[in-house]
Amino acid sequence: MTALTLSTAAASGLRADAIVIGVAKGAKGPVVAPGAEAVAKAYDGSLAGVLETLGASGAEGEVTKLPAPSGFKAPLVVAVGLGPEPDKDANGAPFDAEALRKAAGSAARALTGAKKAAFALPVGDASDVAAIGEGVLLGAYSFDTYKETAPKNARSGNGNGKAPLAEAALLGAKPRDKEHKAALERATAVAEELNRARDLINTPPNDLDPAAFAAIAQAAAKEHGIKVQVLDEKALEKGGYGGILGVGAGSASGPRLVKLSYTSSKAKKHLAFVGKGITYDSGGISLKPAGHNETMKCDMSGAAAVFAAVISAARLGLEVNVTGWLALAENMPSGSATRPGDVLRMYSGKTVEVLNTDAEGRLVLADALWAASQEKPDAVVDVATLTGAMVLALGSRTFGIMANDDAFRSAVHEAAEEVGEPAWQMPLPEHLRKGMDSPTADIANMGERMGGGLVAGLFLREFVGEGITWAHLDIAGPAFNEGGPFGYTPKGGTGTAVRTLVRLAELTASGDLG
Ligand code: BES
Ligand code: MN
Ligand code: ZN
C-alpha cells in the first residue's frame, strides 16, 4: 500500500514526481483551492487561466496535468477537481470531507507508476487530513495478484500495467500535531483493512472457498489478539445450523461459521456484525443463467466488510465489544445440493421451505443472526449482497438500510453519510410477510417478486432474537464495481460498508449511539 507521511515542507523544494493541487468549480471558471497558494504564486498568478485554457473546470473527478513552474524540483503539477466551490460567506467554509476524499483518490489513480507525490489539497482540521489520507490509500489500490505477464514490478490490476503510487506526502498537515497524527493513523488502519477486504472480494472463488476464508480470518484474529472460533461442517451439524449446511450442501468445499470476538476492558456496549459470505453464488439447483454469474465471487462482500470492521476496531482499540459473524458457504448445484422443495430446520428451530436455492443468502444469515442474538448484544447489523431487487431500486452505488427500529435505522444512515457511503432507508412493509407463508414449513425462502429486497429483509427479521435492535444493509449494488473506477473506488470489490460499520463501533464506544 502507498506510504503516507505528513509534511510541512514547501512544495517547491520537494523531490517528488508530482504536486497535487485542488481546483474548485467557481461561478466564473476554475478556482485554485487553498493549500496550493505557493504553487499558484509560482505561476505568477496565471494558474487559474492556464487551467481554464487546458479545459479544466474544477468538476469532481477531473484531472488536468501541467508542467510545474520553473524553480520547482517536481516536474509535474496534477490539478484535481473538487466540485463546486464552497460558500464563501460561511466564514471560509472548509471543503466537504467526501469531496477531498474523492479528489485525493482520483489524483492517486492518475499517479499510477509514480514513486512519490506531494498532496497540496486544502487542509482545515484533522478530519481533512483523515479524508485526504483515506482517499489516497483507497484510490491507489490495485489488485495484481493474478497478473503474471505484465512487466516485473509494474503489475497492476488498474488496467494500465503500472505500479500504484508508492509514496504520498500530505502538505499542510502537521507531523507534530497530535490530532493530525491520530487522524493519519486511523485512516491508515481502516484503509489497510478495507483494501484487504477488497483483496478477498477480488480473489477468484477457486482460491477463496469457505475454509480458506476462515483460515485467513483465524490468522488475522491471532495477529490482533482477537478471540476466534470456527465451526466446520461437523460442528455445524452438531449445533443444528440447518441454514448454513443447507446452502453449502452442494459444494465440494464445506461451509464454515466464523465468530470473531473483539473485547475491550473499558467497553460498556456490545455490537454484533453479521456478514453474508457466499464465496461463490452459482444459484445452486436454481442455477443462474450465464451473464448473471461471472461476478458472483463478490457474494462474500458482506463477510469481508464485517471481517475488516472487526479487525479495524481492534487496531483502533475502540472501547466497545464487537463480535463479527462470518456465514461462509459456497452455493453450488450437485447431487448432494439442496433442492427447491426441501425443508431446512434452522438453528433457531424454525423450518424453511426452500423454493429457490438462489435465495441462499437469507438462509446462511438466518442462522448467523440467531447465533449472534444468543449473546444479547445491544444491536446487530448484518451486511449482505442479498438481492438483485435492491440494485434495481437504488442503483449500483447506494445500499439499502432496513431495520426493526426507526431510530436505529436513521442512526445507521447518518453514520454512512458521515463516512461518505451512499445509502438509503427502505421500509419493511408488513403486508409482504404473507407472501412467504409456506403450506409445508414455518416460512418459505421466497415471497412476492415485487419489492424483493424488502421481502428478504422481512425474512431476516424472523431470525433476530426477541427485543434485539437490528439493521440490515443490502449492499448488492455498491459491493462490486462493474464499471470504470471513480474517485477512490476501483473496479471490482469496493469494500462498501466497512467504514459505516467502523463508524458505528466508534459512535457506540463514545456513547453517541443507543
Ligand atoms: N447474490 C444474489 C444477489 C445479487 C445480485 C448480488 C446481483 C449482487 C449482484 C442473491 O443470492 C440472489 O441470487 N438473490 C435472488 C433472490 C431471489 C431468487 C428471490 C435475486 O435477487 O434474484
Ligand atoms: Mn443467490
Ligand atoms: Zn447470493
Side-chain angles (χ1 to χ4, degrees):
M1 208 169 70
T2 311
L4 272 191
T5 53
L6 302 180
S7 169
T8 47
S12 56
L14 263 163
R15 276 181 211 287
D17 299 300
I19 314 277
V20 175
I21 62 168
V23 191
K25 199 179 169 102
K28 294 189 209 107
V31 176
V32 178
E37 290 84 359
V39 179
K41 205 173 158 212
Y43 284 99
D44 293 329
S46 66
L47 180 55
V50 169
L51 285 168
E52 191 160 24
T53 306
L54 289 169
S57 68
E60 179 187 303
E62 177 188 272
V63 171
T64 311
K65 294 182 176 178
L66 60 161
S70 60
F72 270 57
K73 292 237 165 74
L76 184 73
V77 166
V78 174
V80 64
L82 283 162
E85 191 182 19
D87 249 343
K88 280 260 168 52
D89 37 85
N91 210 6
F95 279 84
D96 174 53
E98 180 64 359
L100 292 174
R101 204 179 284 117
K102 280 185 178 161
S106 295
R109 279 192 296 107
L111 284 161
T112 47
K115 288 224 160 55
K116 181 173 178 175
F119 283 70
L121 292 172
V123 173
D125 56 14
S127 69
D128 297 337
V129 176
I132 297 167
E134 237 173 60
V136 170
L137 297 177
L138 297 178
Y141 173 84
S142 87
F143 183 69
D144 47 20
T145 315
Y146 292 85
K147 294 278 185 186
E148 295 295 355
T149 56
K152 222 178 158 57
N153 299 323
R155 293 171 183 172
S156 173
N158 51 30
N160 61 10
K162 289 181 188 163
L165 174 66
E167 193 186 336
L170 309 191
L171 306 186
K174 304 188 193 81
R176 293 226 178 82
D177 184 313
K178 264 198 190 135
E179 283 180 30
H180 286 197
K181 256 170 54 184
L184 188 78
E185 271 164 33
R186 182 197 180 277
T188 306
V190 175
E192 243 168 46
E193 297 312 321
L194 195 154
N195 282 340
R196 231 190 290 280
R198 289 170 169 178
D199 281 346
L200 287 170
I201 299 165
N202 290 329
T203 298
N206 54 332
D207 276 351
L208 192 85
D209 64 8
F213 195 155
I216 290 168
Q218 238 164 348
K222 211 171 152 194
E223 185 187 337
H224 297 285
I226 294 170
K227 212 177 123 200
V228 59
Q229 193 185 1
V230 178
L231 302 188
D232 61 10
E233 293 124 297
K234 254 197 188 154
L236 290 168
E237 197 82 58
K238 220 173 138 201
Y241 293 82
I244 297 174
L245 285 166
V247 172
S251 171
S253 311
R256 299 287 186 273
L257 177 63
V258 178
K259 177 186 179 188
L260 297 159
S261 313
Y262 163 68
T263 53
S264 160
S265 58
K266 293 186 183 142
K268 293 202 181 74
K269 298 267 182 186
H270 177 198
L271 275 181
F273 295 153
V274 175
K276 170 179 174 180
I278 302 299
T279 58
Y280 184 68
D281 182 13
S282 72
I285 298 292
S286 315
L287 196 63
K288 284 182 189 293
H292 290 259
N293 53 20
E294 318 86 329
T295 58
M296 279 305 146
K297 65 176 182 182
C298 82
D299 215 17
M300 34 57 73
S301 294
V306 166
F307 173 47
V310 177
I311 304 291
S312 297
R315 285 183 63 169
L316 301 173
L318 300 184
E319 296 178 353
V320 55
N321 292 339
V322 184
T323 311
W325 300 84
L326 318 180
L328 309 174
E330 187 183 43
N331 189 21
M332 294 289 274
S334 79
S336 61
T338 294
R339 318 153 186 79
D342 280 355
V343 172
L344 302 176
R345 195 170 298 278
M346 310 294 278
Y347 182 53
S348 78
K350 274 197 178 138
T351 55
V352 176
E353 183 178 13
V354 178
L355 293 180
N356 188 323
T357 63
D358 199 10
E360 83 298 339
R362 63 198 76 183
L363 299 173
V364 298
L365 287 170
D367 278 359
L369 281 168
W370 189 255
S373 296
Q374 299 321 297
E375 301 195 317
K376 304 256 177 279
D378 294 291
V380 183
V381 180
D382 76 71
V383 186
T385 45
L386 205 58
T387 65
M390 197 56 62
V391 191
L392 290 176
L394 297 177
S396 56
R397 291 194 187 182
T398 306
F399 63 77
I401 310 172
M402 285 143 272
N404 61 3
D405 180 296
D406 291 351
F408 189 58
R409 191 182 56 234
S410 298
V412 173
H413 191 190
E414 263 178 50
E417 282 195 325
E418 235 187 290
V419 299
E421 293 196 319
W424 203 250
Q425 300 183 45
M426 301 297 274
L428 294 173
E430 295 299 336
H431 73 92
L432 289 175
R433 169 60 185 85
K434 68 175 183 309
M436 289 183 285
D437 284 349
S438 157
T440 315
D442 295 330
I443 190 170
N445 78 331
M446 247 183 71
E448 283 180 37
R449 199 170 75 85
M450 298 299 171
L454 321 180
V455 172
L458 282 164
F459 180 93
L460 296 180
R461 192 181 67 174
E462 306 262 328
F463 296 89
V464 176
E466 185 77 33
I468 292 179
T469 305
W470 157 78
H472 158 56
L473 315 186
D474 190 337
I475 61 167
F480 197 81
N481 177 20
E482 293 186 51
F486 58 94
Y488 53 87
T489 305
K491 217 175 153 58
T494 62
T496 290
V498 171
R499 290 178 301 127
T500 296
L501 293 182
V502 172
R503 190 69 197 130
L504 281 173
E506 283 176 337
L507 290 167
T508 306
S510 61
D512 295 314
L513 191 125

